[in-house]
Amino acid sequence: MLHEIQYQGKWITLRAFFEVQVSLQKMEMERLAEEQRLAEEEAERQSQIVAKQLEQEKLDEQRRQNALLEQRASMETLPAEPGVRPESTAIKTLGTLVLIIGLLLAGYYFLLFDQSVPSGLGGRVNNLGLIADRQNGIIAGLGLCVVGAILYVFGNRRKP
C-alpha cells in the first residue's frame, strides 16, 4: 500500500489513492440515494395531486347529479303553466293525433273509396258489401274525430 502511482499528474501512495476512490464512490452513492429519495418524494407528491384531482372531479360530478335531480324534482312538482296539470299536454297531444287520424280515415272512405265493381257488360255496378264497408269506415273515422276532440278539450281543462 505504500507503493506510489501517478494519478492526475501527481505521485500518490496506493493507500491515498484508494481512500480517494472509496470516498468518491461513497459520495456518488450518497448523491444517487439522495436523487432517488427526491424522485420518490416527487412521485408521491404527483400521486397526491392526481388523487386530489380525482376526488375533486368526483365531488363535482356528485354536485352536478344532485343539481340535476333537484331540477327534475322541481319540474315534476311544478306544472308547466299555472293551473294546468302536467299530464294535460300529453292528453292534448293524443287528442290531436286521434282527431287527425279520424279525419284522414273518414276522408279516405268518403272521397277515395270505390264501392263499385266492373261488370261483364263493360260498365260498373255498385256492390252492397263495399257500400257497407264505406259506411262503416266513415262512421269509424267520425267516431275517432269525436274521441280526439273530447281528449283535446279535456287536455285544455284547467285544474280546479
Side-chain angles (χ1 to χ4, degrees):
M1 298 298 274
L2 295 177
H3 294 291
E4 289 187 348
I5 60 170
Q6 187 174 10
Y7 178 69
Q8 296 180 344
K10 296 181 187 175
W11 286 95
I12 59 171
T13 64
L14 280 177
R15 178 178 295 169
F17 174 75
F18 286 128
E19 287 175 359
V20 168
Q21 292 301 316
V22 168
S23 66
L24 287 176
Q25 285 179 348
K26 193 180 209 183
M27 287 176 22
E28 181 66 19
M29 291 183 71
E30 288 174 357
R31 185 187 62 79
L32 290 174
E34 180 67 18
E35 285 179 1
Q36 184 178 3
R37 185 186 64 79
L38 291 175
E40 288 173 356
E41 286 178 359
E42 181 64 25
E44 179 67 26
R45 189 171 35 252
Q46 290 296 328
S47 67
Q48 288 176 354
I49 290 172
V50 169
K52 286 179 182 178
Q53 287 174 345
L54 289 174
E55 186 177 329
Q56 185 64 36
E57 288 174 3
K58 283 182 183 179
L59 288 174
D60 291 343
E61 182 63 28
Q62 285 179 347
R63 287 185 190 126
R64 279 192 293 267
Q65 288 177 352
N66 288 341
L68 186 61
L69 288 174
E70 288 175 5
Q71 184 181 12
R72 285 182 183 168
S74 67
M75 289 177 69
E76 289 175 359
T77 57
L78 297 175
E81 297 175 18
V84 177
R85 292 175 287 186
E87 66 272 3
S88 67
T89 57
I91 294 173
K92 185 177 175 181
T93 304
L94 180 65
T96 304
L97 184 64
V98 171
L99 180 66
I100 290 171
I101 291 172
L103 285 173
L104 289 173
L105 186 66
Y108 168 75
Y109 277 104
F110 187 73
L111 298 173
L112 300 175
F113 190 77
D114 187 16
Q115 72 251 1
S116 64
V117 294
S119 70
L121 302 173
R124 295 184 72 81
V125 286
N126 286 333
N127 184 320
L128 291 178
L130 291 176
I131 291 173
D133 287 344
R134 179 180 183 201
Q135 180 183 2
N136 289 338
I138 292 171
I139 290 171
L142 292 177
L144 285 174
C145 287
V146 170
V147 170
I150 290 171
L151 287 173
Y152 185 80
V153 168
F154 277 112
N156 280 336
R157 283 186 61 189
R158 300 230 179 244
K159 188 176 183 179

